[in-house]
């Protein structure tokens, strides 16, 4: 489940980029729809946005900033994490101190 509006303070930090550490801290502080288990998406979640037709993406996920977004996945290098360009679908390892866009998801809860 995604927070739909990427321009909202909860869904996309009002469009403001964050470094990876700040993004994790921000995600842990968000409370929306009585849920407190929001997190950064996986790289696959973010690549799914690229696979979606633009019109459908804008309808389902309005105000998603095009460009590089942090994923929740650290890389093998402790100073880097995986980031995804939602415009191209390209996954890269980036220094955790760089500032990129963020979106939040929560994982499905099994009964």
């Amino acid at each position: 489940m995604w927070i739909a509006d990427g321009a909202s303070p909860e869904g996309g930090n009002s469009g403001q980029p964050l470094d990876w550490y700040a993004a994790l801290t921000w995600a842990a502080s968000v409370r929306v729809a009585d849920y407190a288990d929001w997190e950064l998406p996986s790289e696959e979640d973010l690549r799914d946005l690229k696979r979606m037709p633009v019109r459908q993406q804008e309808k389902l996920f309005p105000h998603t900033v095009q460009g590089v977004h942090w994923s929740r996945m650290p890389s093998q290098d402790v100073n880097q994490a995986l980031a995804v360009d939602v415009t191209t679908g390209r996954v890269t390892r980036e220094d955790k101190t760089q500032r990129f866009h963020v979106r939040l998801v929560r994982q499905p809860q099994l009964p």
Side-chain angles (χ1 to χ4, degrees), residues 37-83:
D37 56 349
W38 296 97
E39 61 187 4
L40 296 176
S42 70
E43 75 275 10
E44 194 62 29
D45 292 332
L46 289 165
R47 287 179 33 184
D48 283 344
L49 290 178
K50 165 59 179 142
R51 293 181 189 114
M52 188 178 294
V54 173
R55 208 172 238 163
Q56 183 181 9
Q57 183 189 104
E58 182 56 33
K59 181 178 179 184
L60 296 174
F61 305 105
H63 307 113
T64 296
V65 177
Q66 296 300 303
V68 180
H69 286 65
W70 280 121
S71 82
R72 69 174 172 264
M73 309 302 294
S75 76
Q76 293 176 336
D77 180 332
V78 297
N79 296 314
Q80 295 181 329
L82 298 183

